[in-house]
């Protein structure tokens, strides 16, 4: 049994000191021997590297080799001479027995017979001698006649010059077969010499290495699993030949095909498809399993850190990946994918896969209908998976801006626009996606383009978009004066949204003159939802309870508001967008409850801040820029309301409001801009920063705000002016 204690370590291949192919296989530190194998290494190069580390033992071995060679040659000659003499003596005795009987027996005959018997017994016992346990004679003969055994002895002699307590680190040998020279010779020699040996392996090879070490009779085997992310752009030198092919395929399956793209997204769907159908060595083998590709993906996450994931379905290449020039391979893949567009569209369900597919084939497809099915599936998957930010990142590079359908003079210029070729269903989803990304003007252009198809439906869309932009008067005016109701069957989406929008605009603006009209809209909405026997849409119910909660807040019945928000959270099949909005709204209810209570309970405002943080996290996860300024304003107000402000919290409020103001500027919206400005100003004043420009912005925006926002700003200003002696709002009003 080997006396080595072996530790199998995963996810740490980057710890190797070997960074290029020309680096030495073996390197020695103070009390550590590092050995890293790569494809180009040979046993001769390994032995040469080891001899540099063990110079004294190598010289001693050369001398001992010459001496042992001389001794063995001398013994061989003596044995041969003894055999010749014994054979000659045996011949003489045989002649006497056969041809000279009887003859006189002399002392010489006795000596001759003794030599013959001794030689005979030696020949008979030779197999037993060679097969004897721990036979040094057999090992000596094997070392002379077997090349591997000679190397093993030579390596053992070299390693013998090192302290057996030296820690040995072995990298990248887990993919080698058990018959490879490294396992047969090098590892055997190491295990016989050293007490502590570490094997740095891939995660999926732990069991294989453990099994081999057990066969080599290691004393103790430990498994150490690491979980760390590292940055090391030289780790690709450790890849095997098969891994090198898959590494190239990984890059081919990424958004590197998109020029100047900094996201470096990867499509595992495209990687798997190309692995099955594009690689030459798998196309001819229909039984090829995907497990090999899956193993490489797992290694790319855990062992090489080539891949990282921060959001569902969004995986990207890390800085560890050295981007290779693969123009020829990209061209070949483009033509291959062009011939299989329909198959890919059917099987791909990740919007990033479809995005990469489009960029591969867009310049080689002659029939535009074939690449349009890619774009429509891309829109569907972004909509369904709620990866809204992909629209902001890529869509306008693909389709440019939406045209103005009211401008007939530009018809010729827009005749080939992608928007004219997309289906109505795809355009409807684009309206929603543009709205989620804050591209309200683009969404308005599509709504106007589709208006005549269904005026009632798109009038509600116009209302929703104007409300998002903070233009409440236009939102209200865009609605028709009335709409037909039917309570005998499930209502249409337009009927439900009509009363949703009407009730929401009034409560959002806190327009006291229209409050009764808003309550009446809620009542009619309730009739629509609950006076039929069919299933309601989850989103309809979410809007209904959310609006009811907001009216309860208006009445300062915060317990009822929170109860309705909890009903919103209990509705199934919604996404992070809706749930995130509910958490934000609930945080507002707790804040208002805290503000209006006579006894200030810090637990209430702490809960408000906590719920607001959850809401921000959920909203951010889907890339929502539409409501994010309002979300950030409310969380900033939650923090300011507590008034327990240190420098860290002031910086947090300033950063949040800066982001909110920036998004409003980019989306051309003014919704809650005044609140974001006053919150930003207060945080800066308390941090002793100059706010002259910010006060000017608030002064210029003052006339654009409604009465409700004026009231909120004044209340917040009074809260801090009384405590911190802040004075600037009087000049604005």
């Amino acid at each position: 049994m080997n006396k080595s204690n072996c530790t199998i370590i995963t996810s740490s291949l980057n710890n190797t000191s070997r960074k290029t192919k020309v680096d030495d296989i073996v390197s020695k530190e103070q009390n550590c021997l590092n050995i890293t194998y790569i494809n180009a290494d040979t046993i001769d190069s390994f032995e040469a590297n080891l001899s540099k580390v063990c110079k004294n033992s190598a010289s001693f071995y050369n001398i001992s080799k010459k001496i042992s060679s001389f001794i063995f040659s001398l013994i061989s000659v003596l044995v041969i001479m003894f055999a010749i003499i014994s054979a000659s003596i045996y011949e003489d005795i045989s002649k006497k027995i056969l041809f000279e009987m009887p003859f006189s027996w002399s002392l010489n005959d006795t000596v001759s017979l003794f030599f013959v018997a001794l030689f005979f017994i030696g020949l008979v016992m030779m197999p037993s001698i060679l097969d004897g346990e721990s036979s040094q004679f057999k090992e000596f003969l094997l070392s002379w006649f077997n090349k591997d055994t000679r190397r093993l002895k030579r390596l053992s002699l070299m390693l013998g010059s090192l302290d057996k307590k030296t820690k040995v680190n072995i990298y990248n040998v887990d993919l080698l077969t058990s018959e490879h020279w490294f396992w047969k010779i090098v590892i055997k020699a190491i295990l016989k010499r050293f007490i502590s040996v570490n094997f740095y392996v891939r995660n999926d090879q732990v069991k294989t290495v453990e099994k081999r070490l057990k066969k080599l009779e290691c004393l103790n085997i430990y498994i150490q699993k690491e979980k760390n992310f590292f940055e090391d752009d030289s780790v690709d030198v450790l890849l095997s030949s098969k891994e090198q092919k898959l590494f190239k395929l990984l890059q081919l399956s990424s958004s590197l095909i998109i020029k100047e793209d900094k996201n470096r997204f990867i499509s595992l769907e495209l990687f798997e498809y190309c692995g099955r159908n594009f690689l030459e060595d798998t196309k001819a083998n229909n039984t090829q399993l995907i497990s090999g590709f899956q193993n490489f993906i797992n290694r790319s996450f855990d062992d090489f850190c080539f891949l990282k994931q921060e959001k569902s379905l969004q995986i990207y290449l890390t800085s560890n990946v050295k981007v290779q020039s693969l123009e020829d391979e990209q061209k070949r893949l483009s033509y291959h994918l062009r011939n299989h567009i329909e198959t890919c569209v059917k099987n791909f369900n990740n919007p990033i896969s479809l995005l990469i597919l489009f960029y591969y084939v867009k310049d080689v497809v002659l029939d535009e209908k074939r690449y349009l099915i890619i774009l429509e599936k891309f829109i569907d998957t972004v909509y369904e998976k709620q990866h809204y930010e992909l629209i902001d990142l890529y869509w306008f590079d693909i389709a440019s801006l939406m045209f103005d359908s009211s401008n007939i003079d530009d018809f010729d210029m827009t005749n080939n626009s992608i928007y004219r070729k997309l289906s109505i269903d795809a355009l409807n989803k684009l309206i929603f996606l543009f709205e989620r990304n804050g591209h309200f003007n683009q969404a308005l252009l599509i709504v106007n383009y589709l208006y005549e198809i269904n005026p009632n439906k798109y009038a509600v869309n116009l209302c929703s978009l104007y409300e998002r932009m903070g233009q409440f008067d236009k939102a209200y005016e865009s609605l028709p004066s009335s709409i037909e109701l039917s309570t005998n069957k499930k209502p249409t989406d337009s009927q439900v949204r009509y009363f949703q929008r009407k009730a929401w605009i009034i409560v959002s603006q806190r327009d006291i003159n229209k409050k009764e009209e808003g309550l009446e809209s809620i009542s009619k909405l309730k009739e629509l939802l609950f006076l039929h026997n069919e299933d309601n849409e989850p989103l309809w119910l979410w809007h209904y309870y959310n609006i009811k909660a907001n009216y309860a807040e208006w009445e300062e019945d915060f317990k009822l508001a929170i109860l309705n928000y909890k009903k919103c959270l209990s509705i199934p099949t919604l996404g992070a967008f809706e749930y995130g909005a509910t958490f934000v709204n609930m945080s507002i209810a707790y804040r208002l409850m805290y503000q209006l209570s006579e006894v200030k309970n810090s637990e209430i405002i702490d809960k408000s801040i906590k719920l607001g943080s959850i809401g921000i996290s959920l909203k951010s996860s889907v890339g929502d820029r539409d409501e994010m300024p309002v979300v950030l304003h409310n969380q900033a107000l939650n923090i300011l309301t507590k008034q327990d402000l240190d420098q860290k919290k002031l910086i947090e409020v300033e950063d949040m409001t800066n982001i909110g103001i920036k998004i409003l500027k980019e989306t051309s919206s003014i919704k809650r801009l005044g609140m974001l400005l006053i919150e930003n100003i207060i945080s800066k004043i308390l941090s002793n920063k100059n706010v002259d420009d910010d006060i000017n912005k608030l002064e210029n925006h003052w006339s654009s705000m409604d009465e409700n926002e004026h009231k909120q700003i004044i209340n917040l200003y009074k809260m801090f002016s009384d405590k911190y002696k802040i004075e600037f709002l009087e000049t604005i009003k």
Side-chain angles (χ1 to χ4, degrees), residues 430-556:
L430 269 182
I431 293 171
F432 175 83
L433 295 174
F434 284 168
E435 185 177 339
R436 292 284 74 82
N437 278 275
H439 295 291
F440 304 118
N441 289 325
Q442 293 296 298
L444 283 169
L445 289 172
I446 297 180
V447 171
N448 286 323
Y449 178 54
L450 300 176
Y451 186 84
E452 295 301 328
I453 295 173
N454 190 333
N456 286 335
K457 173 183 176 181
Y458 292 105
V460 175
N461 282 338
L462 286 172
C463 172
S464 178
L465 289 168
Y466 283 127
E467 181 270 327
R468 287 284 184 258
M469 297 173 72
Q471 300 179 21
F472 296 104
D473 291 337
K474 282 189 176 182
Y476 187 80
E477 291 169 2
S478 65
L479 290 173
S481 57
S482 63
I483 192 169
E484 183 181 351
L485 287 177
S486 175
T487 57
N488 296 323
K489 60 181 180 179
K490 183 178 179 179
T492 65
D493 186 65
S494 298
Q495 290 173 328
V496 172
R497 291 186 65 206
Y498 173 84
F499 291 108
Q500 283 177 352
R501 290 294 93 196
K502 199 168 191 178
W504 175 249
I505 290 170
I506 293 169
V507 73
S508 179
Q509 198 178 13
R510 296 296 194 268
D511 190 341
I512 191 66
N513 296 323
K514 297 175 182 175
K515 185 175 182 179
E516 289 301 320
E517 190 177 352
L519 291 171
E520 184 180 350
S521 294
I522 291 180
S523 178
K524 290 182 178 178
L525 180 59
K526 182 178 180 180
E527 291 179 12
L528 282 177
L529 293 177
F530 299 109
L531 292 182
H532 65 84
N533 295 322
E534 296 182 48
D535 291 343
N536 280 305
E537 299 295 328
L539 199 57
W540 292 354
L541 294 173
W542 181 84
H543 279 296
Y544 172 71
Y545 288 118
N546 183 62
I547 294 169
K548 281 193 69 176
N550 272 268
Y551 274 91
E553 285 180 12
W554 198 355
E555 297 289 344
E556 298 184 0

Side-chain angles (χ1 to χ4, degrees), residues 193-364:
R193 174 61 185 168
F194 299 102
I195 296 175
S196 177
V197 182
N198 296 328
F199 289 84
Y200 289 80
V201 305
R202 293 154 178 79
N203 278 269
D204 57 281
Q205 293 297 311
V206 171
K207 294 295 182 183
T208 301
V209 174
E210 184 181 16
K211 186 177 179 181
R212 290 182 187 175
L213 292 177
K214 286 180 179 179
K215 284 186 177 181
L216 294 173
E217 299 182 334
C218 290
L219 181 62
N220 294 305
I221 301 174
Y222 306 98
I223 297 174
Q224 182 177 328
K225 292 189 176 182
E226 302 288 346
K227 272 292 181 182
N228 63 315
F229 179 79
F230 60 85
E231 292 186 1
D232 183 355
D233 61 359
S234 61
V235 73
D236 61 339
V237 74
L238 303 178
L239 300 180
S240 66
S241 56
K242 182 179 179 181
E243 286 175 331
Q244 289 285 0
K245 289 182 180 179
L246 295 175
F247 184 50
K248 286 186 178 179
L249 190 61
L250 196 67
Q251 294 187 50
L252 289 172
S253 305
S254 72
S255 62
L256 294 174
I257 186 68
I258 305 173
K259 293 181 179 179
E260 299 181 3
D261 181 63
K262 297 179 181 179
N263 296 298
R264 293 158 57 111
F265 288 127
I266 175 75
S267 165
L268 296 186
E269 291 175 327
L270 185 58
F271 176 79
E272 179 179 335
Y273 174 83
C274 294
R276 291 181 183 274
N277 303 283
F278 182 66
L279 288 181
E280 294 296 330
D281 54 354
T282 58
K283 283 196 298 184
N285 186 1
N286 293 328
T287 61
Q288 173 72 33
L289 297 177
I290 198 60
S291 59
F293 303 116
Q294 186 59 53
N295 282 342
F296 179 73
I297 291 298
N298 293 337
R299 293 169 190 173
S300 295
F301 275 109
D302 301 328
D303 300 308
F304 308 123
C305 288
F306 289 152
L307 300 179
K308 194 173 181 182
Q309 182 175 10
E310 292 184 353
K311 291 185 180 181
S312 173
L313 300 180
Q314 291 189 11
I315 302 170
Y316 59 88
L317 301 174
T318 68
S319 58
N320 290 351
V321 175
K322 291 180 182 176
V323 178
Q324 303 174 8
S325 178
L326 301 172
E327 292 183 5
D328 292 339
E329 289 86 347
Q330 287 177 347
K331 188 174 181 180
R332 284 197 306 113
L333 183 56
S334 294
Y335 286 103
H336 174 83
L337 292 173
R338 180 192 63 180
N339 298 330
H340 300 86
I341 287 176
E342 288 74 17
T343 301
C344 293
V345 170
K346 180 181 178 181
N347 295 322
F348 291 176
N349 291 302
N350 185 341
I352 292 172
S353 304
L354 295 154
L355 181 74
I356 297 171
L357 174 64
F358 172 78
Y359 274 94
Y360 263 111
V361 303
K362 68 184 182 70
D363 295 326
V364 294

Side-chain angles (χ1 to χ4, degrees), residues 643-661:
Q643 296 194 51
D644 180 18
L645 301 171
D646 54 24
Q647 192 60 35
K648 182 179 179 181
K649 290 179 181 177
L650 289 172
I651 292 173
E652 184 180 359
V653 171
E654 183 181 346
D655 290 343
M656 281 193 295
T657 51
N658 281 335
I659 294 170
I661 293 167

